Amino acid sequence: MNVIQLPVNKLVAPKPQALQDPDWVRWSLITIAISFIGLFILLPLGLVIVKAFSKGIEAYWSALSEPDTLSAIKLTLITAAVTVPLNTLFGVTAAWAVTRFDFKGKSLLTTLIDLPFSVSPVISGFIFVLLFGAEGWFGDWLVQHQIKIIFTISGIVLATLFITFPFVARQLIPLMQEMGSQEEEAALSLGAGGWRTFWSVTLPNIKWALLYGVLLCNARAMGEFGAVSVVSGHIRGITNTLPLHVEVNYNEYNIVGAFASASILAALAVLTLILKTALEWQQARR
Amino acid sequence: MSILLSNISKQFGAFSALSNINLEIPEGELVALLGPSGCGKTTLLRIIAGLEQADKGRVLLSGVDKTTQNVSKRGIGFVFQHYALFRHMTVFENVAFGLRVKPRRERLDNETITKKVHALLELVQLDWLHDRYPDQLSGGQRQRIALARALAVEPSVLLLDEPFGALDASVRKDLRQWLRNLHHELNVTSIFVTHDQEEAMEVASQVVVLNHGRIEQQGTPSDIYDHPANAFVSRFIGQTNIFDMAEQDADWLQIAGLLPTQKESKIAHVRPHDIIIEKTSANQDAPATLKDWQHLGALIRLELVKNGSNANTPSVFAEMPNEQFKQLALSRGDKVALQIRQAHWFQ
């Protein structure tokens, strides 16, 4: 699961002496951690780059500038552009509701927010097929009204929306719980309205966590494979997102094509990591 | 602005936080809501502010019914126990907030706001901190900024929730005096919540004692100390010795001068300073022994035990000025006689 708590405090305190293990314990633990990361993260990431450029930089460029690849990139960007703002809105709303109001079914809501994390993405995809597919619950109605969801971009967006909705809410809820609502009450008592209080008091306090959540949400929206794979139908140049495009190319033994597209996704992931680290650093400084 | 509360009740689930509170606070008073924790005092303050809604009853400010009015429109200033300063704003911006969020018609121009904020910061003697952030200030400074921020909107009522609760003892003492002086200067009707009876007596012009969601007594500090309405108030305000005259060996107390004012009165509350101690010579028949004593500064507290009592009998505490204690030249184990000057009787 990709939910990572923001570091609350990065004060460098001297390590208590009682917790200092003997040298050999320390070094072997550090070595294990580093080699694990090297073996399972850095090595594969390097291999992606190497494979992508295995037939030279020109082959790499031509693989990327293929119309199907470009269309996959475009579709991925559109999906992220629709789902990320919607889920940001949803996340803030849900976090606000859970931390500021008492209502029946609150704990149920908090649990349900986590559902997309606990269900396999493939199953999430199938839920949408069962709902909107030709044989699905709303299938007849949709056919009558000539609305197509499954095997179209709408289906991809819906599935991605479902998969990525916990990210923002999950980042905000613990933070807003810990902050309490006293600053907001103070703003209200000073004559500020609800909207003003949100913009000038709540939002500045949660902005780093919010950005962090948005970043994780975006990374997943661009990288989601399972759920999207089920609803997309793999129509080349129309309903293939980048991760799907990678798989199609790979299955066709188009190694350079597959890894060139994969390198873009990997670059996105690395960029996300860099931004995330920058955010953490920002947060620790304030 | 005067405050009138009529029949305020509030439930939290099955717990009755406040029941039928009736309270009138005249304009310009500095009132302490005093009571043990969980007595409903903070809830009452929040209901006056509009941060909480009463289940029953009405809140009138200056005779106008404000029961259902939103907190942002009530014209109150609220100071929180943990300051609740906006952590991402400088001290200056914190104080200016209330002025900046006013509707455009009523809003002052920027220059006037700047002047006003600096004047307020000077009032709380912290203008030199205007460009700091809240986490760079000490607790006492934060609370003074919180007060300046609440005063910026010129509230007609100032409400303070345990304003000194989170501060060091020495800072607390200074701030108490300072708040009292500030109130003299501004004369805005103010209510503060506290569980510290000393603080209430020292700062407030009126004290309202609450317990289990009910008002036990309201009056000036001297009223409450000298004429406690019931046993709870007497016990809660200041030190007191409690004697049950129905117990068998209460004769010695009658000899010491403790005589019921009414026949049915059985429980006597005696303040430590109302007990006079006399040293007795060794061969005299004395009722009590000095077990221990503590130096409280100007006063000495003496712990006495009745002679011939078992270990479970509670000690009697008396207080006398330091000078007098020196003259008596008492030491631990000395036999003493007592005389009780005054007592409050309860049934």
Side-chain angles (χ1 to χ4, degrees):
Chain A
M1 200 181 300
N2 318 16
V3 178
I4 299 154
Q5 293 297 318
L6 280 178
V8 179
N9 197 340
K10 276 211 168 167
L11 282 177
V12 184
K15 299 272 180 297
Q17 293 235 306
L19 296 183
Q20 292 289 354
D21 286 309
D23 279 356
W24 69 270
V25 175
R26 242 186 316 154
W27 287 114
S28 32
L29 286 180
I30 292 172
T31 315
I32 289 172
I34 287 180
S35 32
F36 197 84
I37 287 178
L39 199 64
F40 285 94
I41 295 178
L42 293 181
L43 190 68
L45 203 61
L47 266 180
V48 168
I49 310 283
V50 170
K51 283 280 182 189
F53 287 98
S54 61
K55 291 197 176 145
I57 196 152
E58 264 167 48
Y60 178 79
W61 273 122
S62 70
L64 278 192
S65 45
E66 230 184 89
D68 285 355
T69 314
L70 289 177
S71 125
I73 293 176
K74 193 173 138 201
L75 184 57
T76 301
L77 291 177
I78 290 173
T79 308
V82 176
T83 51
V84 173
L86 281 177
N87 274 334
T88 306
L89 198 68
F90 167 79
V92 173
T93 314
W96 188 277
V98 167
T99 58
R100 296 295 181 257
F101 309 129
D102 276 320
F103 53 92
K104 278 202 178 118
K106 185 163 126 172
S107 54
L108 186 69
L109 177 69
T110 328
T111 316
L112 284 181
I113 288 176
D114 280 342
L115 190 71
F117 281 163
S118 48
V119 173
S120 159
V122 178
I123 302 198
S124 313
F126 272 118
I127 294 169
F128 286 97
V129 174
L130 287 178
L131 282 177
F132 303 121
E135 309 288 314
W137 271 18
F138 300 110
D140 290 342
W141 189 86
L142 290 171
V143 170
Q144 274 166 26
H145 291 80
Q146 297 194 317
I147 303 170
K148 282 184 185 157
I149 291 182
I150 300 305
F151 305 148
T152 68
I153 181 168
S154 323
I156 294 172
V157 167
L158 273 179
T160 312
L161 212 53
F162 177 81
I163 291 295
T164 58
F165 82 64
F167 285 95
V168 173
R170 272 285 124 199
Q171 284 301 320
L172 293 185
I173 288 170
L175 178 73
M176 287 174 72
Q177 246 154 10
E178 185 216 307
M179 278 193 335
S181 48
Q182 286 222 320
E183 283 184 47
E184 281 140 21
E185 284 184 344
L188 293 175
S189 79
L190 290 166
W195 196 236
R196 178 70 190 241
T197 301
F198 176 75
W199 282 107
S200 346
V201 176
T202 314
L203 198 59
N205 279 339
I206 62 171
K207 67 180 170 196
W208 295 120
L210 181 63
L211 271 173
Y212 190 78
V214 167
L215 212 61
L216 291 177
C217 176
N218 183 56
R220 185 64 183 267
M222 289 183 167
E224 175 55 24
F225 178 83
V228 169
S229 168
V230 176
V231 296
S232 120
H234 301 262
I235 309 166
R236 245 167 213 260
I238 299 174
T239 61
N240 262 359
T241 58
L242 261 182
L244 301 183
H245 186 68
V246 172
E247 199 215 12
V248 168
N249 274 319
Y250 182 75
N251 286 345
E252 291 170 356
Y253 302 105
N254 179 358
I255 299 299
V256 173
F259 281 99
S261 304
S263 74
I264 295 185
L265 280 174
L268 278 171
V270 171
L271 188 73
T272 307
L273 273 181
I274 292 172
L275 283 174
K276 186 196 115 193
T277 314
L279 278 181
E280 280 175 356
W281 182 74
Q282 262 293 350
Q283 158 120 349
R285 221 176 38 145
R286 252 303 288 142
Chain B
M1 196 190 278
S2 66
I3 300 169
L4 186 75
L5 304 178
S6 79
N7 260 323
I8 298 278
S9 293
K10 176 83 180 170
Q11 296 266 132
F12 290 115
F15 174 71
S16 172
L18 294 168
S19 36
N20 295 318
I21 297 280
N22 286 293
L23 183 63
E24 196 179 346
I25 293 168
E27 174 149 8
E29 294 280 342
L30 175 53
V31 179
L33 292 182
L34 172 67
S37 56
C39 73
K41 52 196 192 300
T42 294
T43 306
L44 187 59
L45 194 77
R46 289 172 63 87
I47 285 173
I48 299 172
L51 290 169
E52 213 86 61
Q53 288 291 324
D55 298 337
K56 258 189 0 201
R58 295 186 307 145
V59 178
L60 277 74
L61 304 181
S62 270
V64 183
D65 193 332
K66 302 257 183 179
T67 315
T68 55
Q69 198 176 35
N70 195 285
V71 52
S72 58
K73 304 231 161 58
R74 278 197 194 185
I76 50 100
F78 202 97
V79 175
F80 294 83
Q81 181 179 4
H82 297 288
Y83 331 118
L85 293 176
F86 306 130
R87 59 192 100 181
H88 62 284
M89 294 185 201
T90 60
V91 163
F92 182 94
E93 283 305 321
N94 262 283
V95 178
F97 184 84
L99 300 171
R100 294 205 200 282
V101 298
K102 279 191 193 299
R104 201 174 287 275
R105 293 176 279 108
E106 302 164 32
R107 204 184 305 157
L108 305 165
D109 59 279
N110 252 329
E111 204 179 317
T112 322
I113 290 182
T114 308
K115 259 195 217 152
K116 199 165 170 187
V117 171
H118 282 298
L120 278 161
L121 286 173
E122 265 158 37
L123 180 74
V124 299
Q125 298 150 6
L126 290 175
D127 196 26
W128 56 288
L129 291 173
H130 66 90
D131 56 353
R132 304 283 181 87
Y133 283 90
D135 58 5
Q136 296 169 303
L137 309 181
S138 72
Q141 289 168 340
R142 283 184 213 183
Q143 197 55 294
R144 281 193 279 166
I145 298 298
L147 196 58
R149 180 177 71 176
L151 290 172
V153 291
E154 293 175 11
S156 42
V157 175
L158 187 60
L159 306 169
L160 307 104
D161 183 13
E162 302 249 6
F164 315 120
L167 301 170
D168 293 344
S170 67
V171 180
R172 200 185 297 187
K173 270 236 173 328
D174 289 347
L175 269 188
R176 281 181 195 168
Q177 197 56 45
W178 178 82
L179 179 66
R180 208 183 150 87
N181 293 340
L182 189 78
H183 181 258
H184 270 296
E185 211 171 305
L186 302 172
N187 213 34
V188 51
T189 313
S190 308
I191 306 181
F192 74 99
V193 157
T194 180
H195 60 263
D196 181 344
Q197 47 93 13
E198 214 177 291
E199 188 168 288
M201 307 289 279
E202 195 177 321
V203 180
S205 60
Q206 288 268 323
V207 178
V208 178
V209 184
L210 282 137
N211 189 30
H212 294 310
R214 291 172 196 281
I215 293 180
E216 300 282 356
Q217 193 174 5
Q218 178 186 9
T220 64
S222 345
D223 273 346
I224 291 198
Y225 191 83
D226 295 334
H227 309 289
N230 53 42
F232 172 80
V233 176
S234 166
R235 242 190 340 240
F236 195 69
I237 308 285
Q239 285 260 335
T240 197
N241 293 294
I242 301 170
F243 300 116
D244 186 352
M245 301 306 278
E247 271 177 28
Q248 285 181 350
D249 52 353
D251 302 354
W252 72 288
L253 293 166
Q254 293 199 0
I255 294 166
L258 194 60
L259 297 168
T261 45
Q262 282 168 313
K263 237 190 168 163
E264 61 270 27
S265 298
K266 289 283 178 251
I267 308 285
H269 287 203
V270 179
R271 302 280 187 205
H273 53 78
D274 284 328
I275 299 179
I276 300 167
I277 306 287
E278 287 151 17
K279 199 173 177 177
T280 51
S281 51
N283 50 9
Q284 217 174 327
D285 192 21
T289 304
L290 179 63
K291 184 181 171 195
D292 199 1
W293 57 273
Q294 294 123 33
H295 206 299
L296 303 181
L299 291 176
I300 301 292
R301 180 191 291 145
L302 304 116
E303 187 181 352
L304 312 164
V305 283
K306 182 183 173 290
N307 289 337
S309 66
N310 58 20
N312 294 331
T313 321
S315 303
V316 176
F317 288 95
E319 279 170 13
M320 66 169 69
N322 206 345
E323 282 305 307
Q324 194 187 338
F325 183 71
K326 278 181 192 152
Q327 277 171 18
L328 281 174
L330 283 167
S331 50
R332 290 185 185 93
D334 279 357
K335 302 263 193 272
V336 292
L338 13 147
Q339 210 183 324
I340 293 169
R341 243 195 313 219
Q342 197 196 336
H344 295 116
W345 289 93
F346 303 102
Q347 291 176 14

